[in-house]
Structure formats: C-alpha cells, structure tokens
Amino acid sequence: MYKLKTNQSISKRFKVTSRGKILRHKACKSHLLQKKSSKRKSKLRKVSIVNFRDKGNFINNLPYFN
C-alpha cells in the first residue's frame, strides 16, 4: 500500500488535539478591524473547535493526524 498524501493547506490551518478534536482559528480577524469593537476582536482571538459533524471532511485530507 502506498503512502497517503496529507493536504498541506489543511495541516497548516488546523491542529488536532490528543483527544482527536480539530482546532481552528476564527474568521474576520484579518482586515477592516477599525470598525469592530474591542470586545468582538478579543473574542475572535480565541481558538475554537470544529463541529463534530464537519470532522468527516478532514479525515481524508489528514490521514495521519487521527
């Protein structure tokens, strides 16, 4: 059996925890920050967990991170 290739763009954007949960960064934090409140920007700084329903989309692209 040949080695499966990992999707590098996904492996750089997401991290897998030891329990198998997938961590992601929140969107809307890159530009147009002047009109966003400090409270909103601080909430966007936090890392969030990918919903378990979306986990199936990552399994084929991250074969060795399960």
Side-chain angles (χ1 to χ4, degrees), residues 12-47:
K12 291 173 186 175
R13 286 178 173 87
F14 300 94
K15 299 269 189 263
V16 181
T17 63
S18 60
R19 295 279 178 116
K21 294 179 181 177
I22 301 171
L23 301 177
R24 67 173 178 86
H25 291 284
K26 298 197 176 187
C28 305
K29 187 65 174 68
S30 59
H31 67 293
L32 300 176
L33 300 174
Q34 204 168 13
K35 60 185 172 185
K36 294 173 187 165
S37 67
S38 300
K39 181 180 178 181
R40 183 174 167 192
K41 287 187 282 190
S42 69
K43 288 188 176 187
L44 290 173
R45 262 185 244 135
K46 297 180 181 177
V47 177

mmCIF file of all heavy atoms in Angstrom, residues 12-47:
data_model
loop_
_atom_site.group_PDB
_atom_site.id
_atom_site.type_symbol
_atom_site.label_atom_id
_atom_site.label_comp_id
_atom_site.label_asym_id
_atom_site.label_seq_id
_atom_site.Cartn_x
_atom_site.Cartn_y
_atom_site.Cartn_z
ATOM 1 N N LYS A 12 -1.748 23.117 7.875
ATOM 2 C CA LYS A 12 -1.229 24.373 8.409
ATOM 3 C C LYS A 12 -2.315 25.199 9.094
ATOM 4 O O LYS A 12 -2.028 25.985 9.980
ATOM 5 C CB LYS A 12 -0.605 25.193 7.275
ATOM 6 C CG LYS A 12 0.673 24.575 6.747
ATOM 7 C CD LYS A 12 1.168 25.295 5.520
ATOM 8 C CE LYS A 12 2.354 24.562 4.930
ATOM 9 N NZ LYS A 12 2.814 25.160 3.668
ATOM 10 N N ARG A 13 -3.554 25.038 8.687
ATOM 11 C CA ARG A 13 -4.644 25.848 9.230
ATOM 12 C C ARG A 13 -5.302 25.235 10.458
ATOM 13 O O ARG A 13 -5.919 25.947 11.251
ATOM 14 C CB ARG A 13 -5.713 26.049 8.166
ATOM 15 C CG ARG A 13 -5.331 27.013 7.084
ATOM 16 C CD ARG A 13 -6.438 27.107 6.041
ATOM 17 N NE ARG A 13 -6.166 28.153 5.075
ATOM 18 C CZ ARG A 13 -5.456 27.988 3.972
ATOM 19 N NH1 ARG A 13 -4.950 26.797 3.699
ATOM 20 N NH2 ARG A 13 -5.250 28.970 3.151
ATOM 21 N N PHE A 14 -5.210 23.930 10.623
ATOM 22 C CA PHE A 14 -5.913 23.236 11.696
ATOM 23 C C PHE A 14 -4.943 22.403 12.510
ATOM 24 O O PHE A 14 -3.936 21.927 11.999
ATOM 25 C CB PHE A 14 -6.999 22.316 11.122
ATOM 26 C CG PHE A 14 -8.042 23.044 10.319
ATOM 27 C CD1 PHE A 14 -7.933 23.166 8.956
ATOM 28 C CD2 PHE A 14 -9.137 23.603 10.950
ATOM 29 C CE1 PHE A 14 -8.890 23.837 8.214
ATOM 30 C CE2 PHE A 14 -10.102 24.278 10.221
ATOM 31 C CZ PHE A 14 -9.970 24.390 8.848
ATOM 32 N N LYS A 15 -5.260 22.236 13.791
ATOM 33 C CA LYS A 15 -4.469 21.389 14.679
ATOM 34 C C LYS A 15 -5.388 20.317 15.257
ATOM 35 O O LYS A 15 -6.564 20.573 15.519
ATOM 36 C CB LYS A 15 -3.895 22.209 15.832
ATOM 37 C CG LYS A 15 -2.962 23.316 15.402
ATOM 38 C CD LYS A 15 -1.552 22.848 15.344
ATOM 39 C CE LYS A 15 -0.602 23.997 15.121
ATOM 40 N NZ LYS A 15 -0.214 24.181 13.750
ATOM 41 N N VAL A 16 -4.842 19.129 15.490
ATOM 42 C CA VAL A 16 -5.606 18.037 16.077
ATOM 43 C C VAL A 16 -5.120 17.829 17.501
ATOM 44 O O VAL A 16 -3.914 17.732 17.748
ATOM 45 C CB VAL A 16 -5.432 16.742 15.251
ATOM 46 C CG1 VAL A 16 -6.239 15.606 15.853
ATOM 47 C CG2 VAL A 16 -5.858 16.970 13.810
ATOM 48 N N THR A 17 -6.054 17.776 18.449
ATOM 49 C CA THR A 17 -5.702 17.577 19.854
ATOM 50 C C THR A 17 -5.456 16.094 20.110
ATOM 51 O O THR A 17 -5.694 15.248 19.248
ATOM 52 C CB THR A 17 -6.832 18.068 20.773
ATOM 53 O OG1 THR A 17 -7.993 17.285 20.525
ATOM 54 C CG2 THR A 17 -7.133 19.530 20.534
ATOM 55 N N SER A 18 -5.005 15.789 21.309
ATOM 56 C CA SER A 18 -4.738 14.387 21.657
ATOM 57 C C SER A 18 -6.023 13.574 21.739
ATOM 58 O O SER A 18 -6.009 12.361 21.564
ATOM 59 C CB SER A 18 -3.984 14.307 22.984
ATOM 60 O OG SER A 18 -4.764 14.902 24.004
ATOM 61 N N ARG A 19 -7.125 14.239 22.006
ATOM 62 C CA ARG A 19 -8.425 13.563 22.057
ATOM 63 C C ARG A 19 -9.062 13.405 20.684
ATOM 64 O O ARG A 19 -10.141 12.841 20.559
ATOM 65 C CB ARG A 19 -9.386 14.351 22.961
ATOM 66 C CG ARG A 19 -8.973 14.398 24.415
ATOM 67 C CD ARG A 19 -9.395 13.115 25.099
ATOM 68 N NE ARG A 19 -8.992 13.085 26.479
ATOM 69 C CZ ARG A 19 -9.842 13.058 27.488
ATOM 70 N NH1 ARG A 19 -11.125 13.108 27.274
ATOM 71 N NH2 ARG A 19 -9.391 12.988 28.723
ATOM 72 N N GLY A 20 -8.439 13.984 19.649
ATOM 73 C CA GLY A 20 -8.958 13.858 18.298
ATOM 74 C C GLY A 20 -9.842 15.006 17.844
ATOM 75 O O GLY A 20 -10.411 14.953 16.758
ATOM 76 N N LYS A 21 -9.948 16.042 18.666
ATOM 77 C CA LYS A 21 -10.732 17.206 18.253
ATOM 78 C C LYS A 21 -9.876 18.091 17.350
ATOM 79 O O LYS A 21 -8.654 18.124 17.477
ATOM 80 C CB LYS A 21 -11.187 18.002 19.475
ATOM 81 C CG LYS A 21 -12.161 17.236 20.349
ATOM 82 C CD LYS A 21 -12.556 18.045 21.553
ATOM 83 C CE LYS A 21 -13.503 17.251 22.433
ATOM 84 N NZ LYS A 21 -13.858 17.980 23.650
ATOM 85 N N ILE A 22 -10.528 18.797 16.439
ATOM 86 C CA ILE A 22 -9.827 19.649 15.488
ATOM 87 C C ILE A 22 -10.027 21.109 15.884
ATOM 88 O O ILE A 22 -11.152 21.563 16.056
ATOM 89 C CB ILE A 22 -10.335 19.392 14.060
ATOM 90 C CG1 ILE A 22 -10.118 17.925 13.698
ATOM 91 C CG2 ILE A 22 -9.624 20.291 13.070
ATOM 92 C CD1 ILE A 22 -10.764 17.509 12.417
ATOM 93 N N LEU A 23 -8.914 21.844 16.042
ATOM 94 C CA LEU A 23 -8.956 23.245 16.436
ATOM 95 C C LEU A 23 -8.813 24.128 15.205
ATOM 96 O O LEU A 23 -8.098 23.785 14.265
ATOM 97 C CB LEU A 23 -7.816 23.555 17.412
ATOM 98 C CG LEU A 23 -7.781 22.755 18.700
ATOM 99 C CD1 LEU A 23 -6.551 23.145 19.501
ATOM 100 C CD2 LEU A 23 -9.025 22.981 19.516
ATOM 101 N N ARG A 24 -9.484 25.274 15.232
ATOM 102 C CA ARG A 24 -9.416 26.217 14.124
ATOM 103 C C ARG A 24 -9.382 27.638 14.678
ATOM 104 O O ARG A 24 -9.773 27.879 15.813
ATOM 105 C CB ARG A 24 -10.612 26.060 13.196
ATOM 106 C CG ARG A 24 -11.926 26.458 13.842
ATOM 107 C CD ARG A 24 -13.076 26.455 12.860
ATOM 108 N NE ARG A 24 -14.321 26.801 13.505
ATOM 109 C CZ ARG A 24 -14.765 28.035 13.702
ATOM 110 N NH1 ARG A 24 -14.039 29.058 13.301
ATOM 111 N NH2 ARG A 24 -15.917 28.266 14.291
ATOM 112 N N HIS A 25 -8.919 28.559 13.838
ATOM 113 C CA HIS A 25 -8.966 29.975 14.184
ATOM 114 C C HIS A 25 -10.245 30.574 13.629
ATOM 115 O O HIS A 25 -10.772 30.116 12.619
ATOM 116 C CB HIS A 25 -7.751 30.711 13.624
ATOM 117 C CG HIS A 25 -6.476 30.340 14.303
ATOM 118 N ND1 HIS A 25 -6.141 30.792 15.552
ATOM 119 C CD2 HIS A 25 -5.469 29.532 13.929
ATOM 120 C CE1 HIS A 25 -4.980 30.303 15.908
ATOM 121 N NE2 HIS A 25 -4.544 29.525 14.936
ATOM 122 N N LYS A 26 -10.735 31.611 14.263
ATOM 123 C CA LYS A 26 -11.966 32.247 13.820
ATOM 124 C C LYS A 26 -11.706 33.181 12.647
ATOM 125 O O LYS A 26 -10.610 33.739 12.512
ATOM 126 C CB LYS A 26 -12.613 33.001 14.975
ATOM 127 C CG LYS A 26 -13.001 32.065 16.102
ATOM 128 C CD LYS A 26 -13.981 32.693 17.034
ATOM 129 C CE LYS A 26 -14.399 31.664 18.073
ATOM 130 N NZ LYS A 26 -15.458 32.146 18.921
ATOM 131 N N ALA A 27 -12.718 33.381 11.841
ATOM 132 C CA ALA A 27 -12.614 34.236 10.661
ATOM 133 C C ALA A 27 -12.842 35.695 11.053
ATOM 134 O O ALA A 27 -13.163 36.002 12.197
ATOM 135 C CB ALA A 27 -13.643 33.805 9.627
ATOM 136 N N CYS A 28 -12.693 36.597 10.082
ATOM 137 C CA CYS A 28 -12.974 38.045 10.227
ATOM 138 C C CYS A 28 -11.967 38.757 11.127
ATOM 139 O O CYS A 28 -12.295 39.741 11.767
ATOM 140 C CB CYS A 28 -14.382 38.284 10.746
ATOM 141 S SG CYS A 28 -15.644 37.507 9.772
ATOM 142 N N LYS A 29 -10.749 38.315 11.198
ATOM 143 C CA LYS A 29 -9.743 38.943 12.052
ATOM 144 C C LYS A 29 -8.581 39.514 11.244
ATOM 145 O O LYS A 29 -7.611 40.008 11.796
ATOM 146 C CB LYS A 29 -9.219 37.908 13.072
ATOM 147 C CG LYS A 29 -8.296 38.440 14.149
ATOM 148 C CD LYS A 29 -8.990 39.406 15.073
ATOM 149 C CE LYS A 29 -8.145 39.838 16.230
ATOM 150 N NZ LYS A 29 -7.028 40.661 15.921
ATOM 151 N N SER A 30 -8.670 39.490 9.917
ATOM 152 C CA SER A 30 -7.517 39.882 9.116
ATOM 153 C C SER A 30 -7.540 41.335 8.668
ATOM 154 O O SER A 30 -6.493 41.964 8.557
ATOM 155 C CB SER A 30 -7.396 38.976 7.896
ATOM 156 O OG SER A 30 -8.576 39.068 7.124
ATOM 157 N N HIS A 31 -8.703 41.906 8.388
ATOM 158 C CA HIS A 31 -8.745 43.284 7.920
ATOM 159 C C HIS A 31 -10.065 43.930 8.320
ATOM 160 O O HIS A 31 -10.948 43.264 8.860
ATOM 161 C CB HIS A 31 -8.535 43.361 6.402
ATOM 162 C CG HIS A 31 -9.639 42.763 5.614
ATOM 163 N ND1 HIS A 31 -9.921 41.424 5.616
ATOM 164 C CD2 HIS A 31 -10.560 43.328 4.796
ATOM 165 C CE1 HIS A 31 -10.957 41.191 4.826
ATOM 166 N NE2 HIS A 31 -11.371 42.326 4.328
ATOM 167 N N LEU A 32 -10.179 45.241 8.074
ATOM 168 C CA LEU A 32 -11.353 46.033 8.475
ATOM 169 C C LEU A 32 -11.596 45.943 9.985
ATOM 170 O O LEU A 32 -12.723 45.809 10.454
ATOM 171 C CB LEU A 32 -12.612 45.589 7.718
ATOM 172 C CG LEU A 32 -12.568 45.698 6.195
ATOM 173 C CD1 LEU A 32 -13.843 45.132 5.609
ATOM 174 C CD2 LEU A 32 -12.388 47.127 5.754
ATOM 175 N N LEU A 33 -10.517 46.052 10.745
ATOM 176 C CA LEU A 33 -10.602 45.902 12.196
ATOM 177 C C LEU A 33 -10.982 47.207 12.905
ATOM 178 O O LEU A 33 -11.330 47.182 14.081
ATOM 179 C CB LEU A 33 -9.274 45.390 12.755
ATOM 180 C CG LEU A 33 -8.821 44.032 12.217
ATOM 181 C CD1 LEU A 33 -7.436 43.719 12.727
ATOM 182 C CD2 LEU A 33 -9.793 42.950 12.606
ATOM 183 N N GLN A 34 -10.918 48.315 12.189
ATOM 184 C CA GLN A 34 -11.162 49.608 12.826
ATOM 185 C C GLN A 34 -12.605 49.747 13.291
ATOM 186 O O GLN A 34 -12.869 50.320 14.350
ATOM 187 C CB GLN A 34 -10.847 50.712 11.816
ATOM 188 C CG GLN A 34 -10.507 52.024 12.417
ATOM 189 C CD GLN A 34 -9.936 52.967 11.385
ATOM 190 O OE1 GLN A 34 -10.014 52.713 10.193
ATOM 191 N NE2 GLN A 34 -9.364 54.059 11.840
ATOM 192 N N LYS A 35 -13.538 49.201 12.523
ATOM 193 C CA LYS A 35 -14.947 49.356 12.886
ATOM 194 C C LYS A 35 -15.452 48.257 13.817
ATOM 195 O O LYS A 35 -16.585 48.323 14.280
ATOM 196 C CB LYS A 35 -15.805 49.404 11.626
ATOM 197 C CG LYS A 35 -15.735 48.176 10.753
ATOM 198 C CD LYS A 35 -16.532 48.421 9.486
ATOM 199 C CE LYS A 35 -16.347 47.315 8.480
ATOM 200 N NZ LYS A 35 -17.018 47.635 7.231
ATOM 201 N N LYS A 36 -14.629 47.264 14.105
ATOM 202 C CA LYS A 36 -15.031 46.195 15.011
ATOM 203 C C LYS A 36 -14.652 46.587 16.435
ATOM 204 O O LYS A 36 -13.586 47.149 16.679
ATOM 205 C CB LYS A 36 -14.347 44.883 14.622
ATOM 206 C CG LYS A 36 -14.825 44.371 13.273
ATOM 207 C CD LYS A 36 -14.048 43.192 12.797
ATOM 208 C CE LYS A 36 -14.476 42.855 11.387
ATOM 209 N NZ LYS A 36 -13.562 41.975 10.705
ATOM 210 N N SER A 37 -15.517 46.275 17.372
ATOM 211 C CA SER A 37 -15.269 46.654 18.760
ATOM 212 C C SER A 37 -14.155 45.802 19.367
ATOM 213 O O SER A 37 -13.846 44.710 18.882
ATOM 214 C CB SER A 37 -16.548 46.485 19.584
ATOM 215 O OG SER A 37 -16.898 45.125 19.679
ATOM 216 N N SER A 38 -13.577 46.282 20.440
ATOM 217 C CA SER A 38 -12.507 45.559 21.117
ATOM 218 C C SER A 38 -13.006 44.237 21.658
ATOM 219 O O SER A 38 -12.289 43.232 21.643
ATOM 220 C CB SER A 38 -11.945 46.396 22.259
ATOM 221 O OG SER A 38 -11.428 47.595 21.775
ATOM 222 N N LYS A 39 -14.234 44.241 22.138
ATOM 223 C CA LYS A 39 -14.819 43.016 22.667
ATOM 224 C C LYS A 39 -14.951 41.964 21.574
ATOM 225 O O LYS A 39 -14.635 40.787 21.777
ATOM 226 C CB LYS A 39 -16.195 43.337 23.252
ATOM 227 C CG LYS A 39 -16.906 42.154 23.861
ATOM 228 C CD LYS A 39 -18.251 42.574 24.421
ATOM 229 C CE LYS A 39 -19.004 41.405 25.001
ATOM 230 N NZ LYS A 39 -20.320 41.811 25.520
ATOM 231 N N ARG A 40 -15.390 42.405 20.410
ATOM 232 C CA ARG A 40 -15.559 41.477 19.287
ATOM 233 C C ARG A 40 -14.214 40.942 18.804
ATOM 234 O O ARG A 40 -14.068 39.751 18.528
ATOM 235 C CB ARG A 40 -16.263 42.215 18.153
ATOM 236 C CG ARG A 40 -16.587 41.376 16.948
ATOM 237 C CD ARG A 40 -17.401 42.188 15.980
ATOM 238 N NE ARG A 40 -17.496 41.553 14.702
ATOM 239 C CZ ARG A 40 -17.951 42.136 13.607
ATOM 240 N NH1 ARG A 40 -18.374 43.377 13.648
ATOM 241 N NH2 ARG A 40 -18.006 41.491 12.468
ATOM 242 N N LYS A 41 -13.198 41.814 18.752
ATOM 243 C CA LYS A 41 -11.872 41.394 18.305
ATOM 244 C C LYS A 41 -11.223 40.437 19.296
ATOM 245 O O LYS A 41 -10.530 39.502 18.891
ATOM 246 C CB LYS A 41 -10.980 42.614 18.081
ATOM 247 C CG LYS A 41 -11.347 43.383 16.835
ATOM 248 C CD LYS A 41 -10.363 44.485 16.541
ATOM 249 C CE LYS A 41 -10.605 45.684 17.418
ATOM 250 N NZ LYS A 41 -9.840 46.869 17.012
ATOM 251 N N SER A 42 -11.449 40.648 20.574
ATOM 252 C CA SER A 42 -10.868 39.746 21.571
ATOM 253 C C SER A 42 -11.517 38.372 21.515
ATOM 254 O O SER A 42 -10.862 37.362 21.746
ATOM 255 C CB SER A 42 -10.993 40.338 22.973
ATOM 256 O OG SER A 42 -12.333 40.365 23.392
ATOM 257 N N LYS A 43 -12.797 38.326 21.187
ATOM 258 C CA LYS A 43 -13.462 37.027 21.034
ATOM 259 C C LYS A 43 -12.990 36.300 19.782
ATOM 260 O O LYS A 43 -12.967 35.072 19.743
ATOM 261 C CB LYS A 43 -14.979 37.214 21.005
ATOM 262 C CG LYS A 43 -15.538 37.568 22.359
ATOM 263 C CD LYS A 43 -17.044 37.555 22.375
ATOM 264 C CE LYS A 43 -17.548 37.826 23.780
ATOM 265 N NZ LYS A 43 -18.989 37.662 23.907
ATOM 266 N N LEU A 44 -12.601 37.063 18.764
ATOM 267 C CA LEU A 44 -12.099 36.453 17.536
ATOM 268 C C LEU A 44 -10.692 35.891 17.707
ATOM 269 O O LEU A 44 -10.254 35.082 16.896
ATOM 270 C CB LEU A 44 -12.100 37.484 16.398
ATOM 271 C CG LEU A 44 -13.463 37.909 15.872
ATOM 272 C CD1 LEU A 44 -13.312 39.050 14.887
ATOM 273 C CD2 LEU A 44 -14.193 36.752 15.232
ATOM 274 N N ARG A 45 -9.974 36.326 18.754
ATOM 275 C CA ARG A 45 -8.627 35.835 19.002
ATOM 276 C C ARG A 45 -8.602 34.383 19.454
ATOM 277 O O ARG A 45 -7.611 33.690 19.261
ATOM 278 C CB ARG A 45 -7.966 36.678 20.089
ATOM 279 C CG ARG A 45 -7.069 37.742 19.565
ATOM 280 C CD ARG A 45 -6.365 38.449 20.702
ATOM 281 N NE ARG A 45 -6.789 39.836 20.727
ATOM 282 C CZ ARG A 45 -7.141 40.511 21.793
ATOM 283 N NH1 ARG A 45 -7.132 39.940 22.976
ATOM 284 N NH2 ARG A 45 -7.503 41.766 21.695
ATOM 285 N N LYS A 46 -9.672 33.947 20.085
ATOM 286 C CA LYS A 46 -9.693 32.618 20.686
ATOM 287 C C LYS A 46 -9.782 31.521 19.628
ATOM 288 O O LYS A 46 -10.324 31.717 18.547
ATOM 289 C CB LYS A 46 -10.873 32.504 21.648
ATOM 290 C CG LYS A 46 -10.769 33.462 22.810
ATOM 291 C CD LYS A 46 -11.931 33.343 23.730
ATOM 292 C CE LYS A 46 -11.807 34.324 24.874
ATOM 293 N NZ LYS A 46 -12.944 34.291 25.755
ATOM 294 N N VAL A 47 -9.249 30.373 19.974
ATOM 295 C CA VAL A 47 -9.309 29.205 19.103
ATOM 296 C C VAL A 47 -10.614 28.467 19.395
ATOM 297 O O VAL A 47 -11.031 28.369 20.550
ATOM 298 C CB VAL A 47 -8.099 28.283 19.370
ATOM 299 C CG1 VAL A 47 -8.172 27.036 18.544
ATOM 300 C CG2 VAL A 47 -6.812 29.023 19.080
#
